[in-house]
Amino acid sequence: MKTQLLLPLLLVTAAPALAQQTVASLPPPVIADPKVAALRDNALENDHYAWDIVEGLTTEVGQRLAATEAEERARQWAVKRLTAMGFANVHVEPFEMPVWTRGAESAEIVSPFPQKLVVAALGYSGSTGPDGVTGEIVHFDSVDALRAAPDSAVRGKIVFIDHNMMPAQDGSGYGQFGAPRRQGPTVASKKGALAIVIRSIGTDHHRNPHTGVQYFTDGATPIPAGALTVPDSEQLVRILKRGRPVTMHLTLVSAKREGARSGNVVAEVPGRDPKAPILLVGGHLDSWDQGTGAIDDAAGLAITTAAAKHIMDAGRPLRTIRVVWFGAEEPGGFGGTALAKAHAADRYAVAGESDFGADRIWRFSSAYAKSDPAIHAQLTASLAPLGITKNDKGEADGTDVGPTIEAGAPWISLSQDGTRYFDYHHTPDDTLDKIDPAQMRQNVAAWTSVLAVLSGGIEPEPKRAKRR
Amino acid sequence: MKTQLLLPLLLVTAAPALAQQTVASLPPPVIADPKVAALRDNALENDHYAWDIVEGLTTEVGQRLAATEAEERARQWAVKRLTAMGFANVHVEPFEMPVWTRGAESAEIVSPFPQKLVVAALGYSGSTGPDGVTGEIVHFDSVDALRAAPDSAVRGKIVFIDHNMMPAQDGSGYGQFGAPRRQGPTVASKKGALAIVIRSIGTDHHRNPHTGVQYFTDGATPIPAGALTVPDSEQLVRILKRGRPVTMHLTLVSAKREGARSGNVVAEVPGRDPKAPILLVGGHLDSWDQGTGAIDDAAGLAITTAAAKHIMDAGRPLRTIRVVWFGAEEPGGFGGTALAKAHAADRYAVAGESDFGADRIWRFSSAYAKSDPAIHAQLTASLAPLGITKNDKGEADGTDVGPTIEAGAPWISLSQDGTRYFDYHHTPDDTLDKIDPAQMRQNVAAWTSVLAVLSGGIEPEPKRAKRR
């Protein structure tokens, strides 16, 4: 009672004082540059570049598994499209890597309740061969539970790891709940397991499995490793709860080959000052093999490319904008590593990527918060009308620009709403219809703002002399 | 202006008169029987029978394709479960029918943009054989457009029929937009098509195809007939819009065999008067082969069985309640036909089925609206607290009880909300997680009300003499 009576009094007396103090101590007002605002608003209202790229790439190429012939076709498509859009210096920077491809796959409960489950192999899974393997299921609800189990409980069996990932706006569940995929196969292999199946690292309830990369580390022998769909994992848990031994027949055929070819597709909006540090943006061109890679990551390269195109349409920036459609991100960020190595001598004003779908950006963070608060304030002011808040505690991320940032480039992260991202991520369901064009335009507007703020100023193109 | 001025005046003068007239002319008040209300409310609050049946059947048997070994296992499961629940006269009434089974299936765009699409054969599809067939796609946006086309435009090609079915609460889109599945294969075959693929008859955007039955009529030769998922159909439309010839390689392997065995599982709550007309309720035991048949139709048989069990728990009804888990509904209502034939001599007080998922019932209709308005009023009063409205324009429907109703049985229909039903219908996604237990309990409460109202009165069981 005492507290309840006191609280309103405190508020009444404290609030005006606090408000006066705050207003008095506010920094000078920051208003977005009207030129930046105009470019942003035009992109928000009118952008079609991003949709045209996503629609074209997913329709005319479809899936683009890293280091395959499909990814090669995607690079050809990319060079053609980026050239047609007017970008300069469009070229492929090739690199070599191992290629992993999927064959036939199926999972079947043999006993006690015969039925088929839907499964997909994880990247770099070992192969069962066409005849498959049969083993008893041993069930764990986390990687830690598997690690704590005696080897004798696992040896010769098919490990099943469960989890309970839920949707989160910032996608933060993916780190913790992705452990069964990233570490499970290695731990299971080291304990002598015959194979491993995990509950898909996803937040949906559809019969579409979520694949994704994993590596066998610490000298572990590759074993067959697959992801059951979420409904199938829940079904397996119900079957296990009956308390009888559960036997599964698992077929995961796959193949791995060294020395395959991938590459980054690079395009530029040349700056007026070729020596000025570069703005590096992009997304990745490769995709997993079962969807058409619309949200992961045709959207990301389309958004950043569209933003660069809006700058190009407005004139010539002081700094060069380099757009990269990275190759082979999914199997381990090969493209990002290759780009950083090939361009070790380049200096950057910023590096940023879009690789989390196309739903609205809700916050951003940047190295400029510390290194140049005035620029950070300009970024904040220009993004605020799009509903984007600044996050001063953010850290750099991104598989593709990561190596370049580690080498010293200032970074920026524009965070998309990830609430429904893991419903589709790495599944056959990653298709064009999952993209909301209005939200994608907000993304393009945000990246256009960022490039405009950091461009060093955009001047109208000098009129070219007409040919006679 | 004149109309606008007059209208309020008319309302002011007319409204009170209308209200007085209506109140004066209302029929006598109808209040639900308190015993019925108590049974209904107990089911709404406490039912677990329905969930236990759906969870058990979908987990321990899984898919139950008609006339297969899986459906046979389902009948064994059914007899065991219904007996354990205390039903009397539990038995199987077998019948023979053709069995159709699915083999390998795939669809691939060969040119101009090579990529795989997701497809499933329709029931009674012809088989391509393991090597598949290759043909040019010819695109129609309706069966009528296909019918209007000259044979020369179709001969030797793969017909693709599109449509734009949208969700509807009453499921009414299924009739009109289901035409490509029901009639398309026959029309395409008669015009000499190599094969046909249709846009799935569904309202979702997932990579799960919707299968379903079709027949080749009018002497049409069976041709391969499949359903592309909705995202794949939209992808094919985008590819076709590029204006270049589109070639598909289609593999739909299937087999058909005559003389297979199915059956209806019958169970009863015996009435005090064995000669009184019977209450017939149920759902179908078979399912399509790619999901576990949770909403179609484990839910339906579970709901009606749970309702009968709630009556059994309360005592002994005057009328016998006959619960039927019909066999082989999906490929053409074989179970319903067999039941009507086997029980042609029986007299019924009502026949009704649940076969539209487990979302809440929102309205009902019954033959009693005309034949016995007092009973209809009792049904209306007992269902109203569940939010169920009466629909005096309703008509009998239901594949399983249809033949019995055609033979003269009074009918009742409890209509579930179908808004999301066709997201999952006949797909791999028809799994237990699609059922909302709270909405399913409302279904059980509604059917319990119906059985209680029509039971002729429920008397407590006489206490049985203890064995010495």
Side-chain angles (χ1 to χ4, degrees), chain B residues 224-264:
Chain B
L228 297 169
T229 76
V230 170
D232 285 289
S233 300
E234 292 181 351
Q235 177 83 336
L236 182 51
V237 169
R238 284 190 292 269
I239 291 171
L240 287 160
K241 277 190 178 162
R242 264 63 177 176
R244 295 160 60 181
V246 176
T247 306
M248 176 181 281
H249 183 71
L250 180 68
T251 304
L252 294 174
V253 177
S254 61
K256 189 179 169 188
R257 180 172 63 79
E258 300 292 329
R261 191 184 168 96
S262 182
N264 296 318

Side-chain angles (χ1 to χ4, degrees), chain A residues 55-56 58-60 73 113-115 205-208 231 235 238-239 242 290-291 428-429 431-434, chain B residues 55-56 58-60 73 113-115 205-207 231 235 238-239 242 290-291 428-429 431-434:
Chain A
E55 196 269 355
T58 59
T59 301
E60 297 177 10
R73 270 190 286 122
F113 308 126
Q115 57 192 281
H205 270 86
H206 296 288
R207 301 287 296 286
N208 287 311
Q235 177 82 335
R238 283 189 292 270
I239 292 171
R242 263 64 177 175
Q290 296 187 304
D429 255 349
T431 48
L432 182 64
D433 49 285
K434 307 310 180 304
Chain B
E55 196 270 354
T58 60
T59 301
E60 297 177 10
R73 270 189 287 123
F113 308 126
Q115 56 193 283
H205 270 87
H206 296 288
R207 300 289 294 286
Q235 177 83 336
R238 284 190 292 269
I239 291 171
R242 264 63 177 176
Q290 296 187 306
D429 255 350
T431 48
L432 183 63
D433 48 285
K434 308 310 180 303

Side-chain angles (χ1 to χ4, degrees), chain A residues 122 179-190 196 214 216 223 225:
Chain A
L122 300 175
R181 192 188 85 205
R182 298 191 198 97
Q183 303 158 21
T186 290
V187 176
S189 172
K190 300 285 274 187
I196 178 173
Q214 59 81 35
F216 290 98
I223 58 173

Side-chain angles (χ1 to χ4, degrees), chain A residues 75-391:
Chain A
R75 283 193 293 279
Q76 292 167 6
W77 190 95
V79 168
K80 199 171 161 188
R81 173 60 60 107
L82 289 162
T83 303
M85 289 178 78
F87 285 93
N89 194 20
V90 179
H91 65 281
V92 175
E93 300 185 356
F95 53 85
E96 284 202 351
M97 57 174 291
V99 60
W100 177 90
T101 50
R102 182 188 309 281
E105 44 198 22
S106 64
E108 194 170 348
I109 303 295
V110 178
S111 67
F113 308 126
Q115 57 192 281
K116 288 179 184 169
L117 305 180
V118 179
V119 71
L122 300 175
Y124 299 126
S125 167
S127 179
T128 60
D131 294 338
V133 296
T134 302
E136 188 182 330
I137 293 286
V138 52
H139 178 203
F140 301 98
D141 63 5
S142 69
V143 169
D144 285 337
L146 168 63
R147 289 170 64 197
D151 292 5
S152 60
V154 171
R155 194 172 296 122
K157 295 182 178 173
I158 298 177
V159 166
F160 167 50
I161 309 184
D162 202 11
H163 64 84
N164 199 22
M165 182 176 171
M166 292 282 161
Q169 188 174 1
D170 67 358
S172 53
Y174 189 50
Q176 178 177 340
F177 292 105
R181 192 188 85 205
R182 298 191 198 97
Q183 303 158 21
T186 290
V187 176
S189 172
K190 300 285 274 187
K191 286 179 178 287
L194 178 65
I196 178 173
V197 290
I198 62 165
R199 173 172 163 139
S200 278
I201 311 303
T203 52
D204 62 301
H205 270 86
H206 296 288
R207 301 287 296 286
N208 287 311
H210 296 241
T211 189
V213 78
Q214 59 81 35
Y215 311 100
F216 290 98
T217 60
D218 305 333
T221 308
I223 58 173
L228 296 169
T229 76
V230 171
D232 286 288
S233 299
E234 293 181 349
Q235 177 82 335
L236 181 52
V237 169
R238 283 189 292 270
I239 292 171
L240 287 159
K241 277 191 178 161
R242 263 64 177 175
R244 294 159 63 181
V246 176
T247 306
M248 175 182 280
H249 183 71
L250 180 68
T251 305
L252 294 175
V253 177
S254 61
K256 190 181 169 187
R257 180 173 63 81
E258 300 292 329
R261 191 184 167 95
S262 181
N264 295 319
V265 181
V266 178
E268 290 181 349
V269 181
R272 300 194 305 279
D273 178 0
K275 292 183 180 169
I278 292 167
L279 311 180
L280 172 66
V281 294
H284 66 86
L285 181 57
D286 71 306
S287 73
W288 280 105
D289 51 340
Q290 296 187 304
T292 62
I295 66 166
D296 190 12
D297 183 31
L301 58 83
I303 288 162
T304 48
T305 303
K309 172 68 172 157
H310 285 291
I311 304 296
M312 195 199 303
D313 289 349
R316 202 161 174 193
L318 181 76
R319 302 183 188 285
T320 293
I321 302 172
R322 181 176 293 159
V323 176
V324 180
W325 295 12
F326 291 87
E329 188 271 349
E330 294 295 1
F334 291 91
T337 303
L339 190 93
K341 195 173 165 189
H343 294 269
D346 290 347
R347 288 188 311 136
Y348 296 95
V350 83
E353 71 185 55
S354 175
D355 186 14
F356 201 53
D359 280 352
R360 73 179 181 89
I361 295 167
W362 64 288
R363 69 176 177 185
F364 88 103
S365 55
S366 170
Y368 283 104
K370 288 184 183 169
S371 68
D372 194 332
I375 287 185
H376 192 67
Q378 271 296 323
L379 290 167
T380 304
S382 70
L383 293 171
L386 299 172
I388 299 168
T389 58
K390 68 188 170 86
N391 170 24

Side-chain angles (χ1 to χ4, degrees), chain B residues 261-276:
Chain B
R261 191 184 168 96
S262 182
N264 296 318
V265 181
V266 178
E268 290 181 349
V269 181
R272 301 194 303 281
D273 178 1
K275 292 183 181 167

